[in-house]
Amino acid sequence: MIGVVPLLLLAAAVLAVAALLVRYWGALSEFRRARRMTAKLPGPPPYPVIGNALDLPYNMDDLYDTLSTFASTYGPLYRATLAHYTFVVVMDPEDMRVVMTSDKTAEKSSLYGVAESLMGRGLAIVNGDEWRRHRKAITPSLHLDILRDFVQIFSKQGAAFADTLGELADKGVMFDVTPLIGSCANQAICETVMSSDVDKDDPLKRDFLDAVPKAFDHFMYRIFRPWFLSDWVYSFHRWQFPDYLQMKNTFNLFTQRLIGDKKEALKKNEPLPQRKRQAFLDHVLSSEEGAALNDAELAEEVKTFVMLASASSMDALSFFIYMLAIHQDVQDKVRQELDDILGEDRGRLVEHSDLAHMQYTERVFKETLRIFPILPLFGRIATDDLLLPSGVTIPRGCQVGFWLPYVHRNPQWFPEPDKFDPDRFLPENSRGRHPFAYVPFSAGPRNCIGQRYAMMFLKTVAAAIVPRLRFEVPDDGPKCLEDVQLKMNLTMSVRGGANIRVHRL
C-alpha cells in the first residue's frame, strides 16, 4: 500500500508538470498569435526557429548599417523576428505618438532585463508601480532650481577640459576626443547629481569609465544573440563572460564608493548645500520622498544614472565637436555667438543667465542630435493589442522598436535631411513639424528624465571650449556627413573614434 507522503509528493510533481505545460502552451499560443498577426507586414524573410538571426552582422561594428538598411528597405513600419521574439519597428511620427503615449505600451522592452546586472535596475528599466515610485522619488532632485546651481560646476569642468585640450593643441597631435569628454562628463555627474567629489584621476573612476562602453557592447552582443540572454548560458562563453564579471564588479565598487562617501559625510553632519531642493543623492538620503527607495534600489539608481548620463553626454558632445571640426562655417558662427555673450573675458565662468542667449549653439546641438541620436534604438513591449493610426495592430507580447536615424531624416519633416543645417530649428522653420518627428530624448511619460540636465551641461561646456580653441579633422578625416562611419552599441558613437586636431586661439 502506498503511503500518504509518497502520494502527496507524486501529486505535487504532477501539479508542477501540469503548471509548466499550461504555461508553455500559453506562451506558445501567444507566440503563434503574434507571428500570425504580423506575418503580412513588410520585413526581412525569417528562417524557421532562428528568425532573422542570420541577417544580423557577426561584427557588431556593422550593426548600425544593417539596421539602417532594414529601415530604408522596409520602413516606415516593419516586422522582424529573432528566436521567440517578434519585433515591430515603428517609425511614422503619428504611429510613434500612439505607441509612446499608450498605457498598452508603457513598459520598457523585456530585453532590457539583460542589462540589469551591469547597469542596474533603475528608472530606465523598471516598469509599472515600481517605475512610478522611482520617478516620484527622483524628479524633485532634477528641478530647475537645482540645475541652475549646477551651471557653475559645469563651467568649472568645461574650463578644466579646455585646459586639457589646450595642452594637446600645444603638442600638435591628432587624438580621439571621446574619452576626454567622458572623463569631463563623469566628473560633472559625480559633483552635481551625486554631490560627490571623486578625484578625476582616481583609479576606480578610470576603471568605471573604461568599462562603460564595453558594458554596452556586451548588452548589444547578447540582445542580438538571444541564446545568451540567460546569465547561466552566458557563463559558458569563455572569452566574454570573465570580462563581463570584471565589469560588474567595477560598477558595483564605484557605486558603493559614491554612496558610502555620501553616507559618511552625512554621519559627520557635514552641511548640505543651502537650497530649497537637494541634488539626487543628498535628496534620497535626507528626505522623506527619497526614503521611498531602499538601499538596494538606491544603489541600482546610482549605477544607472551615472552610467547613462556619462555615456550619453560623452557621445553627444563628441558629435558636436566633430561637427564643428567638419563644418568650419558652423564653428565660426558658434564662436561668434559665444564671444558676443562672454565679451572680452573668454575664460570667465559661464552663468545660468548666459545659457538663454546661446540660441544658435543650442540649434547646433539639436541638429547634431537629429543626425546622430545618441540612443538610436529603444523599445517597449505591448501588454495588449494596440491599433495604430496606420491601420496596423501590434499584438500583445510584441517588442516595439523605434529607429530614430530613419525618423530624424524623414524628408517630409526635414527637407534635405542629409544636410547639416542648424537653422532648421528656428521657430519659423519648426512650425508645423510633427512633435514626434524629432525625439532625441524619447517622448511621452517615459521620456528621458535628464534631458534638461543634458542640454545645460552641453551648452555650458561648449561655452568653455569653443571661444578658446579651434577644432579640425585630420587631412584624411571625413569631409561631409556621409563620410562619418558610425558604431552602435546602446548609444551611438563614431567608429574608430572622433579623431581631431585642436589649435589655440
Side-chain angles (χ1 to χ4, degrees):
M1 185 175 180
I2 302 177
V4 174
V5 173
L7 281 175
L8 290 175
L9 290 175
L10 179 61
V14 170
L15 288 174
V17 171
L20 285 173
L21 289 175
V22 169
R23 183 177 178 182
Y24 171 78
W25 184 256
L28 180 61
S29 298
E30 290 291 285
F31 164 81
R32 294 175 64 183
R33 179 177 182 270
R35 291 292 168 91
R36 184 174 64 253
M37 291 178 65
T38 58
K40 293 184 179 180
L41 295 179
Y47 294 92
V49 183
I50 62 173
N52 297 113
L54 296 181
D55 295 314
L56 298 171
Y58 180 78
N59 185 345
M60 296 303 287
D61 284 354
D62 298 324
L63 181 60
Y64 176 88
D65 293 336
T66 299
L67 295 180
S68 293
T69 299
F70 282 174
S72 60
T73 303
Y74 303 109
L77 187 148
Y78 72 90
R79 62 99 191 99
T81 62
L82 196 60
H84 59 290
Y85 291 102
T86 301
F87 299 85
V88 176
V89 182
V90 178
M91 296 174 289
D92 176 80
E94 188 58 18
D95 283 347
M96 291 171 60
R97 178 189 65 79
V98 171
V99 175
M100 289 183 171
T101 58
S102 173
D103 291 340
K104 297 178 181 179
T105 44
E107 294 191 2
K108 288 294 185 77
S109 169
S110 56
L111 294 172
Y112 286 114
V114 72
E116 280 186 26
S117 57
L118 286 180
M119 193 170 70
R121 186 174 171 78
L123 199 60
I125 292 176
V126 295
N127 289 308
D129 291 339
E130 187 178 9
W131 170 78
R132 282 183 280 275
R133 181 166 53 82
H134 281 228
R135 182 117 180 176
K136 183 178 180 180
I138 294 169
T139 297
S141 61
L142 289 173
H143 192 276
L144 184 59
D145 290 343
I146 294 193
L147 297 182
R148 288 194 189 100
D149 293 343
F150 288 172
V151 172
Q152 186 176 7
I153 298 173
F154 293 159
S155 190
K156 182 187 71 173
Q157 292 301 326
F161 179 44
D163 290 340
T164 300
L165 293 176
E167 294 172 3
L168 292 168
D170 294 339
K171 296 178 181 178
V173 296
M174 181 186 75
F175 61 95
D176 178 9
V177 72
T178 306
L180 298 176
I181 297 173
S183 179
C184 173
N186 183 267
Q187 190 70 21
I189 286 289
C190 290
E191 289 193 32
T192 55
V193 178
M194 301 302 157
S195 52
S196 177
D197 190 14
V198 179
D199 188 273
K200 67 177 183 179
D201 295 320
D202 183 275
L204 185 56
K205 181 187 180 73
R206 289 200 304 270
D207 290 344
F208 177 91
L209 285 172
D210 290 342
V212 169
K214 295 178 183 177
F216 292 165
D217 283 339
H218 277 269
F219 173 74
M220 296 305 293
Y221 183 88
R222 296 175 70 184
I223 287 293
F224 289 97
R225 294 167 176 80
W227 47 93
F228 284 134
L229 290 177
S230 162
D231 275 5
W232 180 77
V233 176
Y234 200 43
S235 68
F236 291 98
H237 198 309
R238 66 176 66 181
W239 298 286
Q240 296 275 97
F241 197 69
D243 185 51
Y244 171 83
L245 288 180
Q246 184 176 353
M247 284 186 298
K248 183 176 179 179
N249 185 55
T250 297
F251 294 145
N252 289 337
L253 287 175
F254 188 68
T255 300
Q256 291 165 10
R257 162 83 69 80
L258 289 176
I259 297 174
D261 288 351
K262 177 54 61 177
K263 284 185 173 181
E264 191 64 30
L266 291 174
K267 284 181 181 178
K268 295 178 180 178
N269 294 318
E270 293 182 9
L272 295 173
Q274 295 302 305
R275 51 167 76 106
K276 285 184 179 180
R277 297 175 174 85
Q278 297 298 332
F280 171 69
L281 203 49
D282 288 333
H283 170 73
V284 172
L285 292 174
S286 63
S287 71
E288 291 184 9
E289 279 179 321
L293 301 181
N294 60 41
D295 287 349
E297 290 172 329
L298 172 60
E300 299 289 87
E301 284 294 355
V302 169
K303 197 188 310 181
T304 299
F305 218 124
V306 176
M307 284 184 68
L308 289 182
S310 299
S312 58
S313 298
M314 173 181 70
D315 290 326
L317 194 54
S318 295
F319 278 118
F320 172 79
I321 292 175
Y322 213 44
M323 289 300 95
L324 298 188
I326 294 173
H327 302 281
Q328 292 290 316
D329 58 328
V330 173
Q331 183 174 176
D332 290 339
K333 291 180 181 179
V334 171
R335 184 173 294 108
Q336 184 61 59
E337 177 179 74
L338 295 173
D339 285 346
D340 292 343
I341 294 170
L342 298 174
E344 295 182 2
D345 187 6
R346 288 178 166 181
R348 77 169 173 84
L349 293 181
V350 177
E351 299 175 359
H352 179 262
S353 58
D354 295 322
L355 300 184
H357 301 291
M358 295 172 58
Q359 296 179 9
Y360 183 75
T361 303
E362 181 169 321
R363 294 202 299 273
V364 174
F365 273 114
K366 286 182 175 179
E367 178 70 344
T368 300
L369 293 175
R370 180 186 72 84
I371 295 175
F372 306 109
I374 300 307
L375 197 68
L377 177 68
F378 54 95
R380 308 280 178 84
I381 187 169
T383 54
D384 202 352
D385 291 356
L386 180 64
L387 176 63
L388 302 181
S390 61
V392 172
T393 295
I394 298 177
R396 62 177 178 266
C398 274
Q399 309 290 326
V400 188
F402 310 96
W403 180 243
L404 295 194
Y406 180 98
V407 179
H408 287 181
R409 299 196 190 199
N410 187 333
Q412 178 182 355
W413 308 109
F414 300 102
E416 298 183 87
D418 294 326
K419 177 183 178 182
F420 191 86
D421 180 14
D423 286 343
R424 69 173 80 245
F425 286 99
L426 283 166
E428 59 268 29
N429 294 333
S430 299
R431 196 172 296 119
R433 183 180 297 146
H434 197 293
F436 284 76
Y438 177 72
V439 286
F441 297 102
S442 187
R446 301 215 60 164
N447 65 347
C448 175
I449 195 173
Q451 56 185 294
R452 283 196 302 187
Y453 174 99
M455 191 57 72
M456 291 174 70
F457 168 78
L458 295 172
K459 289 168 69 175
T460 305
V461 175
I465 60 177
V466 176
R468 298 168 57 183
L469 304 158
R470 174 172 290 278
F471 306 101
E472 296 177 354
V473 290
D475 293 339
D476 60 349
K479 302 298 186 295
C480 60
L481 291 178
E482 289 76 8
D483 296 336
V484 179
Q485 299 296 306
L486 300 173
K487 176 186 176 180
M488 177 193 141
N489 43 31
L490 186 59
T491 61
M492 186 192 295
S493 58
V494 180
R495 190 188 305 182
N499 296 306
I500 60 169
R501 283 195 175 89
V502 181
H503 304 278
R504 288 184 186 268
L505 294 176

